[in-house]
Amino acid sequence: MKVTNEFLIPFIGLKLGKHQFEFEIKKTFFEKFDYHEYEDCDIKVNVVLEKKTTMLELAFKHKGTVHVPCDLTNEMFDLPIKGKIKLVVQFGEEFNNDNEELLILPHGEHQLDISQYIYEMIVLSVPLKRVHPGIKDGTLQTESLETLSKLAVNEHKTENKQEENTDPRWDKLKQLLTDK
């Protein structure tokens, strides 16, 4: 991933207090990370940076949709997603991002690249099993489902025809079972 200026926050010139940043995430954002799971996406990310004397606190929120295939029918649909994370930035001797909620920047740094945190927040908010909402409520109409329903109806009709063409001797035996 190459660093772009769009996701760099220069915090050195900011006053103490809260500062708000908004980002619009499209498919090109994920292409920079070489991540091709989504056909398209439209996500709004809101970042609130609170600058304090010795540290920074960042609150990330996102809401939007990703265009993905359904895992059951392979039909494309817009999956709504939302999520939030918090990040604390402190200053120390050397860079350390081992903890997912704490980032240590070396003294003298003047900007922060938040693209990796936005990427992880969005990818982790998408469920592992993606099911089209039309399947859940039964309103999904596709060519493959129509073909399957026609085949299912034909099987049912052939079973009924076979029952009608039974030997009359067996019908008498079946009456014995039902005449209890």
Side-chain angles (χ1 to χ4, degrees):
M1 162 71 199
K2 352 193 255 188
V3 177
T4 59
N5 289 338
E6 182 182 0
F7 299 102
L8 286 177
I9 297 178
F11 56 83
I12 201 76
L14 297 175
K15 296 179 180 179
L16 295 179
K18 291 188 179 184
H19 305 277
Q20 187 166 344
F21 301 92
E22 290 186 6
F23 302 97
E24 183 130 351
I25 306 297
K26 297 290 182 187
K27 184 179 180 186
T28 55
F29 174 79
F30 293 103
E31 289 172 353
K32 292 176 186 172
F33 284 95
D34 199 27
Y35 189 76
H36 305 286
E37 288 286 316
Y38 314 136
E39 287 292 318
D40 196 16
C41 63
D42 183 23
I43 303 167
K44 306 247 186 297
V45 176
N46 186 7
V47 180
V48 176
L49 179 137
E50 185 174 356
K51 185 175 181 182
K52 298 182 178 182
T53 56
T54 59
M55 66 180 186
L56 306 170
E57 289 183 0
L58 290 110
F60 296 84
K61 281 186 181 179
H62 76 280
K63 188 174 185 176
T65 59
V66 290
H67 196 66
V68 293
C70 174
D71 289 336
L72 299 176
T73 63
N74 211 24
E75 292 290 321
M76 298 302 287
F77 72 103
D78 287 331
L79 178 68
I81 60 169
K82 65 180 179 178
K84 59 185 175 180
I85 61 170
K86 291 190 182 271
L87 176 68
V88 175
V89 180
Q90 292 184 335
F91 300 96
E93 294 300 317
E94 60 185 33
F95 180 84
N96 185 349
N97 65 350
D98 292 342
N99 189 335
E100 60 192 36
E101 295 177 0
L102 176 66
L103 173 66
I104 298 175
L105 291 178
H107 293 291
E109 279 289 321
H110 63 280
Q111 61 187 6
L112 174 65
D113 182 18
I114 61 169
S115 58
Q116 182 68 35
Y117 296 100
I118 292 173
Y119 167 77
E120 290 175 6
M121 173 181 65
I122 293 171
V123 170
L124 291 174
S125 69
V126 176
L128 290 176
K129 188 171 183 181
R130 301 169 239 180
V131 180
H132 194 288
I135 291 176
K136 293 177 184 175
D137 60 15
T139 61
L140 181 64
Q141 297 294 324
T142 64
E143 186 177 320
S144 57
L145 288 175
E146 288 176 12
T147 305
L148 285 173
S149 66
K150 287 179 185 176
L151 291 173
V153 170
N154 289 339
E155 285 181 18
H156 191 303
K157 288 180 183 177
T158 57
E159 288 175 7
N160 288 341
K161 287 181 182 177
Q162 288 177 352
E163 288 179 10
E164 292 172 6
N165 298 332
T166 59
D167 191 356
R169 293 174 287 182
W170 290 109
D171 293 337
K172 292 289 182 183
L173 289 172
K174 284 181 186 176
Q175 284 180 355
L176 290 174
L177 290 175
T178 57
D179 292 340
K180 291 182 180 179

